[in-house]
Amino acid sequence: MEVASGEPRVRVKRFHRSQTPPPLKLTVRDLNILAHVARHRFLSSAHLCALDGGSPQNVLRCLRALFDHGYLDRPAAQKIGLSEDGPRPFVYGLGKKGAKALREQGGSIDIGGDWTEKNKRAGAIFIEHTLEVADFMTGLELACRTRGDAELMREHEILALAPEETRTAREPLRWKVDKVIVGRKETFAVVPDGLFGLVFPDETAAYFVLEVDRGTIPLIRTDVPGTPAWRKSISYKLSTYWEGWKEQQHLAQFGVKQVRVAMVTSSAERVRNMLAVIDEITEGRGSNFFLFVDRETLAASDPLSVEWTTGKGVRVRLTD
């Protein structure tokens, strides 16, 4: 960020842009910040300071300038969380000018559409969930940087190598499988929270679809199979992944031979309950296709170092 100096400081409101911000010339750091936000949809200032790796004070000054000039937005829905829980890091979304700047730089991330309008429409629950996904992905990226034994392959990089039908799909991550329920064919579908790969020094790779569970939907529903309510359960989600995996949906959709479901959930007890669901789905056999970790355990480590529990109850790491 390069701004003019010598201007008098005027106190501005937290969610209002300065009417007379100092002139701004975008730097490499600014463009990197914009790319991070575009990649994750929403990021907090804490995420951006960590990803930048430099002086937090300098990053915060960059963020303020990018906000004042319309390159970044501070979505209004975050005010709900701020008022309930006290001051927290600001949340940023990509603004119109930020999307334009990235397009002019030839960025590989999909940055079409009116981002400022999308930010206005984003609700508090959507933003909170997006930030939880960002917590995981930011921790994963930082772990890959420091360890050196695995390189992060981001979602857009995997999709760029996927079959054309996936590359051109409106929802390229949507995982679908057909199954006969109560005498008729039903299409099961879930949309994971993310997709990532780990590339190892020997040029092999492991791929994962990411699910971040907030603990707000039931594990099992007793509603009639095929009804909308029945589909809103962990059992439905896990069984959809399971049936798709057996039919090699990952190969058809992403062009990769192996993939696993990495589920971050709200508590160790919920992990145990999910393992019971896996036993039910797999008729007691379990499956290493599924990986589970609770949020508290993950917070004490990082995604690569922490031990995950497979659907067979075995402790492993993502790099195993």
Side-chain angles (χ1 to χ4, degrees):
M1 174 191 67
E2 296 177 3
V3 298
S5 59
E7 298 291 336
R9 290 184 175 274
V10 179
R11 185 172 180 82
V12 294
K13 294 183 179 180
R14 291 152 67 88
F15 290 93
H16 291 79
R17 292 186 169 95
S18 170
Q19 297 301 308
T20 56
L24 172 66
K25 180 180 179 181
L26 292 180
T27 65
V28 172
R29 167 180 267 172
D30 295 327
L31 291 169
N32 284 338
I33 286 174
L34 295 176
H36 285 312
V37 177
R39 187 176 298 119
H40 292 276
R41 185 64 175 88
F42 292 113
L43 284 177
S44 71
S45 57
H47 291 135
L48 288 162
C49 286
L51 289 167
D52 178 86
S55 164
Q57 291 81 3
N58 287 341
V59 175
L60 294 177
R61 283 194 287 268
C62 286
L63 293 174
R64 179 73 229 194
L66 290 169
F67 170 67
D68 282 340
H69 283 269
Y71 290 94
L72 291 176
D73 292 332
R74 289 176 174 174
Q78 68 183 286
K79 295 179 184 179
I80 298 173
L82 288 167
S83 63
E84 291 180 350
D85 304 326
R88 297 189 299 174
F90 281 121
V91 177
Y92 290 92
L94 193 67
K96 282 184 179 180
K97 289 180 67 175
K100 180 181 178 182
L102 290 178
R103 284 195 294 268
E104 290 174 349
Q105 293 294 316
S108 58
I109 305 166
D110 181 11
I111 44 179
D114 188 336
W115 283 71
T116 292
E117 185 60 32
K118 292 178 184 179
N119 296 335
K120 289 179 181 178
R121 294 178 180 178
I125 293 176
F126 175 76
I127 291 174
E128 287 294 329
H129 182 67
T130 303
L131 290 176
E132 289 179 359
V133 176
D135 280 338
F136 177 86
M137 292 305 301
T138 298
L140 180 63
E141 180 169 345
L142 295 174
C144 287
R145 287 185 195 176
T146 56
R147 286 174 51 122
D149 60 348
E151 179 182 350
L152 177 61
M153 191 173 187
R154 298 184 177 92
E155 179 180 306
H156 70 276
E157 295 172 316
I158 298 172
L159 293 178
L161 301 174
E164 182 179 2
E165 184 177 354
T166 299
R167 296 197 309 272
T168 57
R170 187 173 65 87
E171 291 183 296
L173 297 191
R174 180 175 288 274
W175 180 280
K176 296 188 298 183
V177 64
D178 292 329
K179 187 176 180 180
V180 177
I181 299 292
V182 194
R184 65 180 184 180
K185 187 171 73 172
E186 295 278 353
T187 297
F188 285 33
V190 293
V191 180
D193 293 315
L195 171 70
F196 66 92
L198 297 174
V199 181
F200 305 114
D202 62 0
E203 298 186 355
T204 60
Y207 298 93
F208 306 85
V209 292
L210 174 66
E211 285 284 350
V212 177
D213 167 56
R214 307 188 73 196
T216 56
I217 64 174
L219 292 162
I220 298 174
R221 283 189 180 271
T222 57
D223 303 85
V224 175
T227 61
W230 173 74
R231 295 172 184 268
K232 296 179 180 179
S233 69
I234 293 297
S235 177
Y236 170 83
K237 182 172 290 191
L238 295 180
S239 63
T240 299
Y241 281 123
W242 176 243
E243 295 297 333
W245 177 76
K246 289 193 296 183
E247 294 186 11
Q248 294 194 311
Q249 173 66 18
H250 47 287
L251 184 59
Q253 185 170 350
F254 304 129
V256 299
K257 294 182 179 180
Q258 293 187 358
V259 71
R260 285 182 285 181
V261 177
M263 174 83 78
V264 180
T265 189
S266 54
S267 67
E269 179 182 6
R270 194 159 168 90
V271 169
R272 291 191 291 272
N273 290 336
M274 286 185 179
L275 290 175
V277 173
I278 294 297
D279 273 350
E280 178 71 21
I281 292 171
T282 63
E283 300 179 338
R285 297 188 301 274
S287 174
N288 291 328
F289 170 58
F290 298 100
L291 301 171
F292 301 96
V293 69
D294 67 273
R295 196 164 288 112
E296 183 178 356
T297 299
L298 181 59
S301 185
D302 66 67
L304 295 186
S305 301
V306 74
E307 287 190 332
W308 298 65
T309 302
T310 75
K312 285 182 174 288
V314 178
R315 297 294 183 89
V316 298
R317 292 183 172 85
L318 296 184
T319 53
D320 290 346

